[in-house]
């Protein structure tokens, strides 16, 4: 029972490099989300996708792009990484209004 | 704006003592409310949720929460804390057409032996 799977678990980038965080869920959920977690800030929503083919900005979208590739997969891309994007990133999925299921997180460091 | 507030950044309790973690919400309509727990280096695990009906909600690991509309609160309680309960606790709400989960800043629970 995989749930929500994120890759990679850890990543170190140099400033200006790009990368894509992958997320897949096997629960047939319509909604998927990307959050970042920083100390004392809780989880802040970067982007979400309410259904396949749609994406919308959350609270902190600057510097990120997303793709809802299909119902299962929702990727997050950093085009030009900055030290301010050092964070732990969580992907989650849910059926609207119900509890969210979370991946294990990606710890990203930008140097 | 719709929001969830956790007023306490850190809470310290002794093992065996009772626990209450505070959560206040600000929504136009009654939101769906959740409590999650995060152990170090892990993702978030759902403790309990409130959608409607009985305002006292039972969850896993002996936790419960009470929805109080008059106080816009959804506080998490446990009668006797165990050392393994030390973790970060997040309150979350979801409402409106999209029901996007919005999280509080979290409360770090420290348990003294």
């Amino acid at each position: 029972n995989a749930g929500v799977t994120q890759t990679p678990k850890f990543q170190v980038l140099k400033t200006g490099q790009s990368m894509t965080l992958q997320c897949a869920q096997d629960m047939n959920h319509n909604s998927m989300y990307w959050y970042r977690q920083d100390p004392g800030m809780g989880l802040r929503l970067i982007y979400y996708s309410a259904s396949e083919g749609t994406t919308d900005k959350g609270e902190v979208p600057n510097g990120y792009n997303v793709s809802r590739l299909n119902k299962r997969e929702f990727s997050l891309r950093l085009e030009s990484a900055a030290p301010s994007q050092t964070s732990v990133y969580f992907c989650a999925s849910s059926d609207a209004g119900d509890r969210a299921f979370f991946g294990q997180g990606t710890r990203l460091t930008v140097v | 704006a719709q929001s969830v507030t956790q007023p306490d950044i850190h809470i310290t309790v002794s093992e065996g003592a009772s626990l209450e973690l505070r959560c206040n919400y600000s929504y136009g309509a009654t939101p769906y409310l959740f409590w999650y727990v995060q152990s170090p280096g892990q993702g978030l695990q759902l403790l309990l949720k409130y959608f409607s009906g009985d305002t006292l909600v039972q969850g896993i690991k002996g936790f419960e929460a009470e929805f109080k509309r008059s106080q816009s609160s959804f506080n998490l309680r446990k009668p006797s804390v165990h050392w393994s309960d030390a973790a970060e606790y997040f309150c979350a709400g979801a409402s409106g057409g999209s029901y996007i989960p919005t999280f509080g800043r979290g409360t770090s629970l420290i348990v003294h032996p």
Side-chain angles (χ1 to χ4, degrees):
Chain A
N1 207 10
V4 178
T5 303
Q6 284 182 240
T7 56
K9 286 186 170 51
F10 301 93
Q11 184 71 50
V12 178
L13 291 178
K14 294 182 179 178
T15 297
Q17 286 185 317
S18 63
M19 80 162 294
T20 299
L21 281 63
Q22 307 287 351
C23 176
Q25 53 95 6
D26 61 3
M27 294 168 284
N28 204 38
H29 287 158
N30 285 314
S31 301
M32 296 187 73
Y33 316 90
W34 277 104
Y35 292 90
R36 60 177 289 173
Q37 182 179 23
D38 302 291
M41 301 297 291
L43 277 78
R44 292 182 293 171
L45 185 68
I46 304 171
Y47 271 93
Y48 69 97
S49 171
S51 61
E52 184 179 355
T54 69
T55 61
D56 284 287
K57 295 178 180 179
E59 181 184 354
V60 288
N62 290 347
Y64 306 95
N65 285 300
V66 291
S67 295
R68 183 74 182 266
L69 305 169
N70 47 56
K71 193 169 187 179
R72 290 187 65 248
E73 298 172 290
F74 188 39
S75 62
L76 178 72
R77 182 161 179 83
L78 286 70
E79 291 290 352
S80 179
S84 61
Q85 294 178 305
T86 294
S87 187
V88 181
Y89 292 85
F90 286 99
C91 177
S93 71
S94 74
D95 279 331
D98 205 347
R99 50 87 46 103
F101 290 80
F102 284 83
Q104 289 294 94
T106 297
R107 187 172 296 275
L108 175 67
T109 302
V110 183
V111 298
Chain B
Q2 299 176 343
S3 69
V4 170
T5 303
Q6 293 179 249
D8 304 306
I9 298 173
H10 303 283
I11 291 281
T12 301
V13 299
S14 298
E15 190 170 16
S18 63
L19 171 70
E20 183 169 30
L21 302 182
R22 295 186 291 166
C23 174
N24 296 101
Y25 64 88
S26 175
Y27 286 86
T30 300
Y32 296 168
L33 293 164
F34 310 84
W35 275 99
Y36 292 85
V37 61
Q38 183 184 33
S39 298
Q42 301 296 313
L44 278 71
Q45 179 184 20
L46 181 74
L47 287 174
L48 48 80
K49 62 184 181 183
Y50 172 78
F51 285 175
S52 65
D54 193 348
T55 56
L56 185 62
V57 180
Q58 301 297 321
I60 63 171
K61 303 185 181 188
F63 286 93
E64 66 178 26
E66 186 171 11
F67 173 73
K68 292 187 177 180
R69 186 189 306 276
S70 61
Q71 298 177 20
S72 298
S73 68
F74 187 59
N75 294 349
L76 182 71
R77 301 194 296 245
K78 187 170 185 178
S80 178
V81 170
H82 188 263
W83 64 266
S84 60
D85 293 324
E88 190 87 14
Y89 290 80
F90 292 96
C91 182
S95 185
S98 58
Y99 289 99
I100 300 166
T102 301
F103 287 81
R105 294 194 171 192
T107 298
S108 178
L109 176 63
I110 301 163
V111 180
H112 279 256

